Amino acid sequence: MPTLRDVLDAVETLWPSDGRESWDSIGLVSGDPAASVGHVHLAVDAVPDTAREAVALGADLLLAHHPLLLRGVTTIAESTYKGSVLATLVRGGCALVAAHTNADVVASGTSAVLADALGLTDLRALDPGSRPDTGIGRIGTLPEAVPLGVLARRLVDVLPATASGVRVSGTYDQPVRTVALCAGAGDSLLGNPEVLGADVYITSDLRHHPASEFREQAVLVGGPALIDTSHWATEWLWLDVAAAELHRRTGVTVTVSDLRTDPWDFAVLPSQSDPNAPAATDHEPTHPEGASS
């Protein structure tokens, strides 16, 4: 049976640490490198629910996409959620590892998986990395142009359902074929030349002012439509791909968490009888079958 150190070597091969952003915190968070690992559980977030799930499944390692200790903490008391996560994992004999921006940039990383799910071809990075086929975000083309609303509907069908669903800035019928995207938070790329040359940009966590400026500039002189998605949902798609890669590399059992760790539980929409209410189309259930709050 491989050791945690062996699994860490596999993680380094699959998602090299030199691909991480300078501000990121990746790698081993807790655990003994000499301990045996026969079962790895994957999740987007290391939260109390996913920690308990990993221990209940008998996993020796929880590999989370988002770092638990991205910023410094002064306590890991169990009255804090980070302390609760670590205490649960340590007591359960389950290590914790983070693969974050180093897993975003590789050829089979979060944005590439999302692009593949949408059927994009001729992919390239929005912000190329130091190795071929690596970098932040992706841009590609659809086999044929489709209305913006159809692409948004396709995105809803591809992603796990969340309370926030998919929000769109643009005209439903405007044709789109060149698609730029960044799984997770991507407002830092709103000024990227590849994004500005696309028909639509898909990303998450868009704030009012950057999104408003982007929209109004597009209305004024022409530019991409904008689609805002759940951060967790766009990155959750990557877990199955990562699990298969890690299993092939190590031979250990690898499972994927289906727990929804998106922070929003439900949405309340305006009544359609309200003449001032924006039109709501293709409203999705906020709690898909099998999803967890």
Side-chain angles (χ1 to χ4, degrees):
M1 184 180 295
T3 64
L4 177 55
R5 185 177 290 109
D6 295 327
V7 176
L8 290 172
D9 288 343
V11 168
E12 177 64 25
T13 299
L14 292 169
W15 310 297
S17 56
D18 63 4
R20 72 179 179 91
E21 294 290 299
S22 59
W23 49 263
D24 202 6
S25 178
I26 62 170
L28 183 62
V29 179
S30 64
D32 178 4
S36 296
V37 174
H39 181 176
V40 179
H41 193 53
L42 267 60
V44 174
D45 299 293
V47 295
D49 278 350
T50 52
R52 287 190 289 267
E53 180 183 54
V55 171
L57 289 172
D60 306 298
L61 168 64
L62 174 62
L63 192 154
H65 182 51
H66 291 146
L68 179 69
L69 303 180
L70 180 59
R71 296 176 177 84
V73 297
T74 58
T75 177
I76 55 170
E78 291 185 56
S79 57
T80 67
Y81 99 84
K82 293 184 180 182
S84 174
V85 168
L86 288 171
T88 297
L89 293 174
V90 169
R91 287 198 187 101
C94 185
L96 176 61
V97 168
H100 191 209
T101 52
N102 54 317
D104 288 330
V105 300
V106 296
S108 56
T110 53
S111 291
V113 170
L114 177 59
D116 287 342
L118 290 174
L120 302 185
T121 59
D122 303 319
L123 293 181
R124 60 186 184 275
L126 294 176
D127 185 4
S130 58
R131 294 187 179 91
D133 301 321
T134 67
I136 299 172
R138 291 295 185 271
I139 185 170
T141 56
L142 294 165
E144 58 184 19
V146 299
L148 175 62
V150 170
L151 178 63
R153 177 75 246 178
R154 187 177 301 172
L155 191 59
V156 167
D157 292 340
V158 162
L159 296 176
T162 59
S164 54
V166 169
R167 302 186 297 178
V168 185
S169 172
T171 304
Y172 187 97
D173 292 327
Q174 70 185 80
V176 294
R177 189 174 186 195
T178 302
V179 179
L181 58 83
C182 181
D187 63 357
S188 63
L189 295 173
L190 286 172
N192 181 283
E194 295 273 31
V195 169
L196 295 176
D199 297 318
V200 60
Y201 180 46
I202 302 169
T203 192
S204 306
D205 296 345
L206 288 173
R207 294 169 294 143
H208 173 84
H209 292 294
S212 176
E213 291 178 11
F214 189 89
R215 168 194 170 90
E216 297 307 327
Q217 186 66 21
V219 170
L220 184 65
V221 299
L226 198 57
I227 298 181
D228 186 36
T229 63
S230 158
H231 187 134
W232 167 81
T234 57
E235 295 182 330
W236 182 84
L237 293 179
W238 169 76
L239 297 182
D240 280 334
V241 174
E245 290 178 325
L246 192 59
H247 173 70
R248 285 194 297 268
R249 181 69 58 174
T250 65
V252 303
T253 298
V254 186
T255 52
V256 169
S257 177
D258 288 328
L259 295 178
R260 189 187 66 187
T261 54
D262 184 89
W264 306 110
D265 293 310
F266 62 90
V268 180
L269 298 181
S271 168
Q272 291 305 293
S273 62
D274 180 353
N276 297 314
T281 61
D282 295 323
H283 177 56
E284 286 298 299
T286 59
H287 290 276
E289 183 178 355
S292 167
S293 296

